[in-house]
Amino acid sequence: MTLRVAIVADRVGWEERELIRRAPDLGLRIDWINDESLCLGEPGTSSIEGYDALLVRSRSYTRGGLLATLAESSGVPVLNSATAIHACENKLVLRALLRAAGVPVPEFRLALSRKDFTRALDDLGLPVVLKPVYGGMGKRVTLVRDADLAQSVYDYVEDLGHAFEQACLVEPYLGGGSVRCLVVGREIVAAAEFESAGADWRSNAALGNQSRALTHDPEVQKLVDGVVDQLGDGIYGVDLFRTPTGHLVNEVNHAPAWRGVAAVTGADIPAAIARHLQEIFA
């Protein structure tokens, strides 16, 4: 049986092209649907019906979560779930969810004002990382090393026009290394360590920094299991910080890029995704 799947996304990137290219050999028929053209509403009025499953890969968490919510309400199976996407959308909500479940996350302070930011600097000490509650791919994540510069950095936050843009987390700087786990279902299909390189201190995989494959680590698997227990089986990019006392879950991406981690590990990620889709939707 050929499973008919729609990739719902704002654009076709490398990952989407690979899935579409490999689909016939993997027992899938995959179409791309631009997430700006759906106009979802009442059941029976949209182009998503008739698909066996939707694979939501909108880069916008807000857009992806809203589309997943309406698709599920129409009875169309969705991966990842609307609940998972909405949890990943907000770094504070995700961290609160994981922390309550006993999954270790970095220490942080929520900064909604300059007073909050100043208090966070006093509590945590320098250097700190200032990051938006909403956002991804390392954008607007700022390393603050110098007390003289800190308040000037916050000037830019105050100038942002909307309250949701001004909501930030302040956390200790834990170094320039991170671990990216590409999870399909509950399985870590590929894992790599990324190190910052050159002038950019961030180790985000999307920035193309130095990397190496990570061998199986029971501690990392336990953390990923804890994340999936809260979000449900799905396709996630789970980012961890490595610390002297163990790993911490930094972020979870609902529509992860995997070109970097696939290149360094050699993992066949499209095949793993196809197997998972067929297991749960066929």
Side-chain angles (χ1 to χ4, degrees):
M1 173 185 174
T2 299
L3 199 67
R4 190 180 179 202
V5 178
I7 292 179
V8 177
D10 50 316
R11 65 182 177 88
V12 178
W14 184 88
E15 288 78 7
E16 290 77 24
R17 287 196 301 272
E18 279 296 289
L19 285 169
I20 293 169
R21 182 181 69 82
R22 296 281 306 281
D25 295 331
L26 297 173
L28 304 176
R29 173 186 165 183
I30 297 182
D31 301 320
W32 169 55
I33 297 181
N34 191 323
D35 65 10
E36 296 180 334
S37 65
L38 289 173
C39 193
L40 297 186
E42 293 298 318
T45 63
S46 76
S47 57
I48 64 171
E49 295 175 16
Y51 284 99
D52 298 306
L54 299 188
L55 186 57
V56 177
R57 290 193 51 84
S58 302
R59 269 56 176 189
S60 164
Y61 284 99
T62 302
R63 187 179 296 176
L66 294 174
L67 294 174
T69 297
L70 283 174
E72 288 176 352
S73 72
S74 298
V76 180
V78 178
L79 198 68
N80 290 322
S81 71
T83 299
I85 295 172
H86 285 306
C88 294
E89 174 184 20
N90 185 312
K91 294 182 180 68
L92 178 65
V93 168
L94 179 67
R95 287 197 178 179
L97 178 70
L98 296 179
R99 186 171 62 182
V103 179
V105 298
E107 183 180 7
F108 65 89
R109 301 291 187 274
L110 173 64
L112 299 176
S113 67
R114 188 179 293 272
K115 184 180 292 185
D116 281 344
F117 179 62
T118 301
R119 172 70 181 275
L121 296 179
D122 291 339
D123 286 352
L124 301 175
L126 293 171
V128 298
V129 174
L130 178 68
K131 60 174 60 173
V133 167
Y134 300 93
M137 300 184 71
K139 293 181 179 179
R140 286 180 50 212
V141 179
T142 306
L143 173 60
V144 180
R145 300 180 186 270
D146 192 322
D148 292 337
L149 183 62
Q151 297 300 331
S152 295
V153 168
Y154 199 78
D155 288 342
Y156 287 93
V157 176
E158 283 189 326
D159 283 343
L160 295 171
H162 302 286
F164 76 88
E165 294 175 322
Q166 296 173 349
C168 293
L169 298 185
V170 185
E171 62 187 39
Y173 174 55
L174 297 176
S178 65
V179 173
R180 160 57 67 93
C181 299
L182 198 290
V183 179
V184 179
R186 301 188 65 91
E187 178 188 359
I188 300 176
V189 175
E193 293 184 288
F194 289 85
E195 298 287 344
S196 57
D200 197 326
W201 64 273
R202 296 168 295 176
S203 60
N204 188 288
L207 301 174
N209 289 317
Q210 297 174 351
S211 59
R212 68 180 182 87
L214 184 71
T215 57
H216 175 71
D217 185 329
E219 181 202 0
V220 170
Q221 182 66 64
K222 182 179 179 180
L223 292 182
V224 168
D225 287 343
V227 170
V228 178
D229 284 344
Q230 299 307 307
L231 300 181
D233 291 8
I235 302 170
Y236 305 110
V238 180
D239 290 337
L240 312 174
F241 284 141
R242 186 179 61 251
T243 76
T245 57
H247 291 85
L248 305 173
V249 177
N250 178 35
E251 296 180 8
V252 181
N253 193 310
H254 82 289
W258 66 72
R259 188 173 188 174
V261 73
V264 73
T265 63
D268 189 347
I269 294 170
I273 291 174
R275 286 195 301 272
H276 183 61
L277 288 170
Q278 289 162 341
E279 285 171 3
I280 61 177
F281 295 130

